[in-house]
Amino acid sequence: AQSVAQPEDQVNVAEGNPLTVKCTYSVSGNPYLFWYVQYPNRGLQFLLKYITGDNLVKGSYGFEAEFNKSQTSFHLKKPSALVSDSALYFCAVRVESGGSYIPTFGRGTSLIVHP
Amino acid sequence: NAGVTQTPKFQVLKTGQSMTLQCAQDMNHNSMYWYRQDPGMGLRLIYYSASEGTTDKGEVPNGYNVSRLNKREFSLRLESAAPSQTSVYFCASRGMGAGNTIYFGEGSWLTVV
C-alpha cells in the first residue's frame, strides 16, 4: 500500500519570505515522488519529481523539494515567495516497482502568499 | 501543444440524466486516468486504463463507466447522474515507465441538480 499525507490544509506566508509545504509518504519499496500545482479553475500542473539521485530536486517557477528517506518526507520549498505562487499544491507518491504505477495524491495544501 | 483535452468544460445535469465526458491526449501515452476532485478530499481515482483495450476500477468507480476507445481517447460515462456526482472531473495521461509524469486536462465542472 502507498499513502501520502499533507499535514497542513493551508499555509500562509508573506511575500519575499521562504515557504515550505510539507509532504510525508508511506510506500513498500522505493518511492517516486511528485509535486503538482493547481491554480483556480485549472488542471494540475507538474512542478517537479524525485526518481533517484540527488536528494534536492529543482523544478519549475523556482521551487525545489528535498527527499529525506529517513523521515519519509518530500517537502516543497521556495526561498522567496511571490503572490503569484498562491495556489493549491498536491504531493503524490508512486512505488518504483511491483505496483500498478498509479500515483496516490495527498489532499492538497492551499498556499496563500500575502503582499 | 494540446496535451490532454477534456470536453465539456461545464455541464449541469438533472438527477437521473446520463452524460459522457470526453478525453483525448496527443502525447501517445499508454496510460489514462479519470479523477474527481472534491473539497477537502483531494483527488480520487475513478477508473484508469493502463493500455489500449484495458480498463480497471479505481477508488470510487460506483456510478461510472469508462471506455478506452483507442490509444488517444478515454471517456467517462454517468449512466444515471446523482447529486453526489457533482464534482470537478480530471482526465490525465502518462507515458510508459513508472517515473514518467502524469499530465492533466483542464477539468470538467459537473453539477447534478
Side-chain angles (χ1 to χ4, degrees), chain B residues 11-29:
Chain B
Q11 184 73 47
V12 178
L13 285 179
K14 294 183 179 179
T15 297
Q17 285 185 321
S18 63
M19 78 158 296
T20 299
L21 299 177
Q22 306 286 353
C23 175
Q25 51 91 10
D26 62 3
M27 296 173 282
N28 201 36
H29 286 169

Side-chain angles (χ1 to χ4, degrees), chain A residues 100 102, chain B residues 29-34 45-58 66-71 73-75 92-94:
Chain A
S100 62
I102 299 171
Chain B
H29 286 169
N30 288 317
S31 300
M32 297 186 74
Y33 310 83
W34 275 106
L45 183 66
I46 304 171
Y47 272 93
Y48 68 99
S49 171
S51 61
E52 184 179 356
T54 68
T55 61
D56 285 286
K57 295 178 180 179
V66 290
S67 296
R68 183 73 183 266
L69 304 171
N70 47 55
K71 192 170 186 178
E73 299 173 288
F74 187 40
S75 62
S93 71
R94 182 179 66 83

Side-chain angles (χ1 to χ4, degrees), chain A residues 32 34 36 38 41-46 49 51 88 90 94-96 100-103 105-108, chain B residues 9 33 35 37 40-43 45 48 88 90 94 97-107 109:
Chain A
Y32 289 166
F34 303 80
Y36 288 82
Q38 184 182 29
N41 301 319
R42 303 293 301 276
L44 279 71
Q45 298 177 30
F46 170 72
K49 65 182 177 183
I51 303 299
L88 190 57
F90 288 94
R94 187 161 71 232
V95 66
E96 177 188 14
S100 62
Y101 299 153
I102 299 171
F105 285 83
R107 294 191 172 190
Chain B
K9 181 90 171 176
Y33 310 83
Y35 290 89
Q37 183 180 24
M41 302 293 289
L43 288 171
L45 183 66
Y48 68 99
V88 184
F90 289 99
R94 182 179 66 83
N100 279 343
T101 302
I102 284 185
Y103 293 92
F104 286 83
E106 288 293 288
W109 274 254

